[in-house]
Amino acid sequence: MNIREEARKMKLVAPVLAASSNETRNAALRAIADALKANKEKIFAANAEDCRAAGENGIAPAVMKRLAFNEAKLTDVCKGIDQLISLPDPIGKSLLKRELDAGLVLERVSVPIGVIGVIFEARPDALVQISTLCLKSGNCAILKGGKETAGTNRVLFSIIHDAAVSAGLPSECLLQAELHNEIDELLQCEKDVDLLIPRGSNQFVQYIMNNTKIPVMGHADGICHIYVDRDVDMDMAINIIIDAKTQYTAACNAVETILINREIAPVFLPLLARSLKAAGVKLRGTQEAEDLIARSSDAAAQIDAVDIMDDDDFRTEYLDMIISLKVVADVEEAIDHINRYGSHHTDSILTRDDAAAARFMQMVDSAGVYRNCSTRFADGFRYGFGAEVGISTSKLHARGPVGLEGLVTYKYLITGSGQIVGDYASGRSSFHFKDL
Amino acid sequence: MNIREEARKMKLVAPVLAASSNETRNAALRAIADALKANKEKIFAANAEDCRAAGENGIAPAVMKRLAFNEAKLTDVCKGIDQLISLPDPIGKSLLKRELDAGLVLERVSVPIGVIGVIFEARPDALVQISTLCLKSGNCAILKGGKETAGTNRVLFSIIHDAAVSAGLPSECLLQAELHNEIDELLQCEKDVDLLIPRGSNQFVQYIMNNTKIPVMGHADGICHIYVDRDVDMDMAINIIIDAKTQYTAACNAVETILINREIAPVFLPLLARSLKAAGVKLRGTQEAEDLIARSSDAAAQIDAVDIMDDDDFRTEYLDMIISLKVVADVEEAIDHINRYGSHHTDSILTRDDAAAARFMQMVDSAGVYRNCSTRFADGFRYGFGAEVGISTSKLHARGPVGLEGLVTYKYLITGSGQIVGDYASGRSSFHFKDL
């Protein structure tokens, strides 16, 4: 398959998909959910084969869980499709309507982005979520999934594609790329692909960002922080930190660094260290953090790190059962540390102090800034978006979890009756700007 | 000056500017307008010197007009500042407020993008517009203007900067780059600069896009089309085409290609050719267009081009008194031509036929799609945005003329009371998603 040629065809078909009605797109989603259920044995069989091969290749158990596509995952993705069907049409919305002058009306309407390339990890349920999000928002999509589930992906894609076409969507609206070298071809399609969404490791996302002229949405790093302020409920703080670190260690919204207010550090830090160690988390930290924990004479709470951290070490995303600890003077130092060493993903302050919380939420320059809850809430489903194609740390276009709204743009329409700019430049005519 | 160090400082100050009140930012704009008026003789003197030097260097008269900063330009920019002051605060707006669960509230609020680099042509009034748009929207800005007005820019920048600081904004909020090699330094600041807005020639914008990892907003090409449909008021059509081509030839929204419906071409094309030639426009076109004009035996309407155009020639942006002519079968062929050879900037259909217009406006994949008016209306002021920092043909973030709204993004805030994700994963708690 020649990805560039296919992308070219897709680009020219994109306006056709964009012009399809919400009814047609919903009918396609309904057909997809029905076809997935009707063909579940075929999907499960392909997935069993993928999982068997992965097992033989020594894939870690934590990763194996992600490869699986079983009855529970099928129920989840079908529930997701039902949610998408129930959501209002994201395209064709009038976002602005303004009479510029008599008989000259400007309108801004939401439209799909066009052609989106999504490169994602070996998670078959992601293929279903991403393709249905794209179709609901009227976008054509080129999908490249992780190779460990290539067999499952192939079966899923063919079911999804055929169901969409049977419901009346153009055949070119979805394309599956299967070979690794097709990724590099895809990166060259800047004339025809409007957006790339890479998901995966930091190095992989960096590679994509550095090797394409296509706009990229997503995030390379998720260096999330929790700042424990002076006036805090310590039990709540420990509960939240354990959740944010251990509930799903490999997620981008898992916490990596805990900043602790100096006033409470002598009491709080040993308590925290003991709880983290009990949960199986290895500790790293500054000299001051190590000293405070050591001084507590609690053998269960010692720092493991031989190397004491310096500031640049705080740029590390562990995605593992390791955490960084640092003592700070106050909320200002916490804000400064986060804006300097963080990745602008999601950061949380734990405090009873409204003024400190307000200051933190105003000044921390991240896609998500929380008070008194876990950083793990950064997720499209948990925000009530139905699903997400990824989380963006970019400040342009969509920021944070990206659902339907992040997959549309707009265009400006003007309906006139012969107006020329010369008349406005000469003063013969003038604008009156009346919002309708 | 070391741009990277300055950008780093600016990045850390950006949240301070973002936290400033609308009153403070408006006071800064008021102080800027007052200071510009109070120092006008100094500005005019610097500008006279720039213009004198440019004249000696043989700058074309059309360009000379852009270099000038005189009483009329001062009045215009001060009027623009008054408009900006009167516009509502674009930041701190609550865009979404949703109770995820009892005591767990998600909010999306608009915030500035952060640090914006703007590289613009030698037009001193642009410096005033861009810096005041950035300040109103709470953004720090690094400004690099065209070298032909370096003296004027230096005086203007110093007045603007001092006035902003005197009103209470941080000194680092605005920075002027003056040396050409500082552009290359700026392109390396992907850690600290959130957005680049380059304005200028196609090659220049392409150079910026190809040599930075910073997101770029703007447009390289403005290949705008007018399609003249079968059922059209021919006088209106000629009036609009002449305006769109000649009212300001060097603008990106000037028309480059006219597509003519085959049914009316034998009558319309010779009329159009005659009017264009009378206005001083040189004609290029396909063999069919040339034949139709030649057959009219109207010597005043002959095509100049020795070379007959083939399809790829239609990718040319003339920015000059030259126009491309092509005969098409119908609105479908016009749409296909525009989506294939255009630059997704601004395209217009001239027709009395509502169905053809609706089809064209739906299917043409451009930032602006018009009916029965000139493409030259693509402009922030004419859309009622007060001013613009540029026009974007990107589909991400802002599209079309970019005013205040295009200079903000958002962040998600969650206020909780100790919630952890583990409780939702285990089913102990569940989301109820209630929009507030």
Side-chain angles (χ1 to χ4, degrees):
Chain A
M1 187 170 56
N2 183 322
I3 294 284
R4 297 180 79 149
E5 277 174 25
E6 298 298 321
R8 180 89 275 231
K9 281 188 225 161
M10 196 176 253
K11 177 75 171 179
L12 292 168
V13 160
V16 178
L17 182 60
S20 65
S21 68
N22 191 39
E23 289 66 42
T24 305
R25 283 177 276 120
N26 277 344
L29 295 190
R30 170 64 43 235
I32 289 169
D34 292 345
L36 289 173
K37 287 178 207 150
N39 292 284
K40 66 180 186 179
E41 298 308 335
K42 205 167 135 196
I43 304 168
F44 296 162
N47 186 249
E49 183 53 33
D50 281 338
C51 290
R52 194 194 53 74
E56 282 176 8
N57 289 324
I59 294 280
V63 178
M64 280 299 278
K65 258 174 65 181
R66 289 199 266 169
L67 304 188
F69 193 90
N70 47 27
E71 197 74 57
K73 294 261 175 97
L74 177 67
T75 306
D76 279 353
V77 297
C78 288
K79 212 185 285 176
I81 294 175
D82 286 343
Q83 269 193 16
L84 276 182
I85 292 172
S86 71
L87 288 172
D89 191 1
I91 62 179
K93 282 197 287 192
S94 178
L95 306 169
L96 169 84
K97 194 163 185 178
R98 176 175 294 163
E99 190 177 84
L100 304 180
D101 190 8
L104 189 68
V105 174
L106 172 73
E107 190 171 9
R108 181 164 68 197
V109 293
S110 65
V111 298
I113 289 175
V115 176
I116 300 179
V118 192
I119 310 165
F120 55 100
E121 64 278 31
R123 263 186 50 201
D125 48 332
L127 190 153
V128 184
Q129 284 166 2
I130 293 165
S131 56
T132 51
L133 270 168
C134 286
L135 291 182
K136 174 78 182 191
S137 54
N139 287 291
C140 295
I142 301 175
L143 306 169
K144 167 71 180 78
K147 64 177 184 316
E148 296 82 358
T149 53
T152 319
N153 289 348
R154 200 171 305 131
V155 173
L156 284 173
F157 181 84
S158 139
I159 293 169
I160 291 171
H161 179 264
D162 293 353
V165 173
S166 75
L169 297 185
S171 175
E172 293 87 350
C173 69
L174 291 174
L175 180 74
Q176 185 174 34
E178 294 196 278
L179 304 173
H180 191 75
N181 65 22
E182 291 174 342
I183 295 178
D184 285 320
E185 265 189 74
L186 178 59
L187 300 187
Q188 305 300 316
C189 298
E190 71 268 11
K191 291 265 180 239
D192 297 313
V193 176
D194 297 294
L195 174 66
L196 284 179
I197 305 179
R199 313 188 346 167
S201 70
N202 181 318
Q203 297 96 300
F204 175 70
V205 175
Q206 288 285 358
Y207 175 80
I208 300 287
M209 289 176 169
N210 293 342
N211 287 283
T212 187
K213 292 178 194 165
I214 303 169
V216 175
M217 185 156 74
H219 66 277
D221 283 309
I223 305 174
C224 301
H225 302 74
I226 291 179
Y227 165 59
V228 186
D229 196 30
R230 207 166 44 86
D231 182 10
V232 70
D233 175 334
M234 292 197 192
D235 290 340
M236 178 196 80
I238 286 170
N239 194 34
I240 286 175
I241 292 169
I242 298 290
D243 180 82
K245 178 77 253 182
T246 70
Q247 200 265 334
Y248 187 13
T249 318
C252 58
N253 54 17
V255 75
E256 305 294 6
T257 300
I258 311 296
L259 304 170
I260 302 113
N261 186 291
R262 186 162 290 127
E263 247 183 76
I264 61 156
V267 179
F268 181 73
L269 203 40
L271 287 176
L272 175 65
R274 177 184 259 272
S275 301
L276 284 166
K277 297 272 283 190
V281 179
K282 294 195 176 174
L283 313 181
R284 300 197 63 200
T286 55
Q287 183 70 56
E288 181 179 7
E290 172 153 355
D291 289 349
L292 283 172
I293 295 169
R295 212 178 300 156
S296 75
S297 65
D298 179 348
Q302 298 312 300
I303 276 189
D304 306 277
V306 180
D307 297 329
I308 294 300
M309 296 181 72
D310 69 20
D311 278 345
D312 274 331
D313 295 333
F314 284 97
R315 295 188 209 272
T316 311
E317 183 181 24
Y318 299 116
L319 293 174
D320 202 349
M321 294 288 267
I322 310 174
I323 206 162
S324 305
L325 304 170
K326 183 181 179 182
V327 178
V328 294
D330 53 16
V331 67
E332 299 302 329
E333 192 183 341
I335 292 165
D336 186 75
H337 178 98
I338 293 169
N339 285 343
R340 218 180 266 267
Y341 300 104
S343 66
H344 310 289
H345 190 296
T346 303
D347 304 288
S348 188
I349 181 173
L350 311 182
T351 188
R352 286 195 193 95
D353 179 342
D354 289 343
R359 178 77 182 163
F360 185 88
M361 294 172 96
Q362 166 71 254
M363 299 299 285
V364 169
D365 186 19
S366 295
V369 190
Y370 299 172
R371 177 185 183 181
N372 291 343
C373 63
S374 170
T375 54
R376 290 272 299 121
F377 281 101
D379 171 272
F381 172 72
R382 292 176 201 129
Y383 278 19
F385 298 169
E388 64 175 40
V389 288
I391 291 187
S392 166
T393 54
S394 162
K395 290 181 156 183
L396 294 194
H397 200 70
R399 200 178 186 199
V402 180
L404 286 178
E405 248 183 88
L407 295 176
V408 301
T409 177
Y410 51 77
K411 71 198 223 190
Y412 287 101
L413 307 175
I414 298 185
T415 307
S417 40
Q419 286 84 351
I420 60 172
V421 164
D423 287 342
Y424 295 84
S426 68
R428 235 190 322 271
S429 301
S430 64
F431 297 106
H432 64 224
F433 301 139
K434 203 156 63 189
D435 284 341
L436 301 177
Chain B
M1 187 171 56
N2 182 321
I3 293 285
R4 298 179 79 148
E5 277 174 27
E6 298 297 321
R8 181 89 275 229
K9 281 188 226 164
M10 195 176 253
K11 177 76 170 179
L12 293 168
V13 159
V16 178
L17 181 60
S20 65
S21 69
N22 191 38
E23 289 65 43
T24 305
R25 283 176 277 120
N26 278 343
L29 296 190
R30 170 64 45 234
I32 289 169
D34 291 345
L36 289 173
K37 287 177 207 153
N39 291 284
K40 65 180 187 177
E41 296 309 334
K42 205 167 137 195
I43 304 169
F44 296 162
N47 187 248
E49 183 53 34
D50 281 339
C51 290
R52 193 194 54 74
E56 281 177 9
N57 290 325
I59 295 279
V63 178
M64 280 298 279
K65 258 174 67 182
R66 289 200 267 169
L67 305 189
F69 194 89
N70 47 28
E71 197 74 56
K73 295 262 175 94
L74 177 68
T75 305
D76 279 352
V77 298
C78 288
K79 214 186 282 176
I81 295 175
D82 286 343
Q83 268 193 16
L84 276 181
I85 293 172
S86 72
L87 288 172
D89 191 0
I91 63 179
K93 282 197 287 192
S94 178
L95 306 169
L96 169 84
K97 195 164 185 178
R98 176 175 293 165
E99 190 176 82
L100 304 179
D101 189 9
L104 189 67
V105 174
L106 172 72
E107 190 170 10
R108 181 163 70 198
V109 294
S110 65
V111 298
I113 288 176
V115 176
I116 300 178
V118 191
I119 311 167
F120 55 100
E121 65 278 31
R123 264 185 51 201
D125 48 334
L127 190 153
V128 184
Q129 284 166 3
I130 294 164
S131 56
T132 51
L133 270 167
C134 286
L135 291 183
K136 173 78 182 193
S137 54
N139 286 291
C140 296
I142 301 176
L143 307 169
K144 168 72 179 79
K147 65 178 183 318
E148 295 82 357
T149 53
T152 319
N153 289 348
R154 199 171 306 133
V155 172
L156 284 172
F157 181 84
S158 140
I159 293 169
I160 290 171
H161 178 265
D162 293 353
V165 173
S166 75
L169 297 185
S171 175
E172 294 86 350
C173 68
L174 292 174
L175 181 73
Q176 186 174 33
E178 295 196 278
L179 303 174
H180 191 74
N181 64 21
E182 291 174 343
I183 295 178
D184 285 321
E185 266 189 74
L186 178 59
L187 300 186
Q188 305 300 316
C189 298
E190 70 269 10
K191 292 265 180 239
D192 298 312
V193 176
D194 297 293
L195 174 65
L196 283 180
I197 305 178
R199 316 194 336 174
S201 70
N202 182 317
Q203 298 97 299
F204 174 70
V205 175
Q206 288 285 359
Y207 175 81
I208 300 288
M209 289 176 168
N210 293 343
N211 288 284
T212 188
K213 294 179 193 164
I214 304 170
V216 176
M217 185 156 73
H219 66 275
D221 283 311
I223 305 175
C224 301
H225 301 75
I226 291 178
Y227 165 58
V228 186
D229 195 31
R230 207 167 45 86
D231 183 11
V232 70
D233 176 334
M234 293 197 193
D235 289 340
M236 178 198 78
I238 288 170
N239 194 33
I240 286 175
I241 293 168
I242 298 290
D243 180 81
K245 180 75 251 181
T246 69
Q247 199 264 333
Y248 186 13
T249 319
C252 57
N253 55 17
V255 75
E256 305 293 8
T257 300
I258 310 296
L259 304 170
I260 302 113
N261 186 288
R262 187 161 290 127
E263 245 183 79
I264 61 156
V267 177
F268 182 72
L269 204 41
L271 287 176
L272 174 65
R274 178 184 259 269
S275 301
L276 284 167
K277 298 273 283 191
V281 180
K282 293 192 176 178
L283 313 181
R284 300 197 63 199
T286 57
Q287 184 70 56
E288 181 179 7
E290 172 151 354
D291 289 349
L292 283 172
I293 295 170
R295 213 178 299 155
S296 77
S297 67
D298 181 345
Q302 299 311 302
I303 275 188
D304 305 277
V306 181
D307 298 329
I308 294 300
M309 296 180 74
D310 69 19
D311 278 347
D312 274 332
D313 296 333
F314 284 98
R315 296 187 209 271
T316 311
E317 183 181 23
Y318 299 117
L319 293 175
D320 202 350
M321 293 289 268
I322 309 174
I323 206 162
S324 305
L325 303 170
K326 184 181 179 181
V327 178
V328 295
D330 53 17
V331 68
E332 298 303 329
E333 191 184 340
I335 291 164
D336 186 74
H337 178 98
I338 293 169
N339 285 343
R340 219 179 263 269
Y341 301 104
S343 66
H344 311 288
H345 191 296
T346 304
D347 305 289
S348 187
I349 180 173
L350 310 183
T351 187
R352 286 193 194 96
D353 180 342
D354 289 344
R359 177 79 181 160
F360 185 90
M361 292 172 97
Q362 166 71 255
M363 299 299 286
V364 169
D365 186 19
S366 296
V369 191
Y370 299 173
R371 175 184 184 182
N372 292 342
C373 62
S374 169
T375 53
R376 291 271 300 120
F377 282 102
D379 171 272
F381 171 73
R382 291 174 204 131
Y383 279 18
F385 298 169
E388 63 175 41
V389 288
I391 290 186
S392 167
T393 55
S394 162
K395 290 180 155 184
L396 295 192
H397 200 70
R399 201 178 186 199
V402 180
L404 285 179
E405 249 184 86
L407 295 177
V408 301
T409 178
Y410 51 77
K411 71 199 221 188
Y412 287 102
L413 306 175
I414 298 185
T415 306
S417 39
Q419 285 85 351
I420 61 173
V421 164
D423 286 341
Y424 294 85
S426 68
R428 234 189 324 270
S429 301
S430 64
F431 296 105
H432 63 224
F433 300 139
K434 202 155 66 188
D435 283 341
L436 301 177

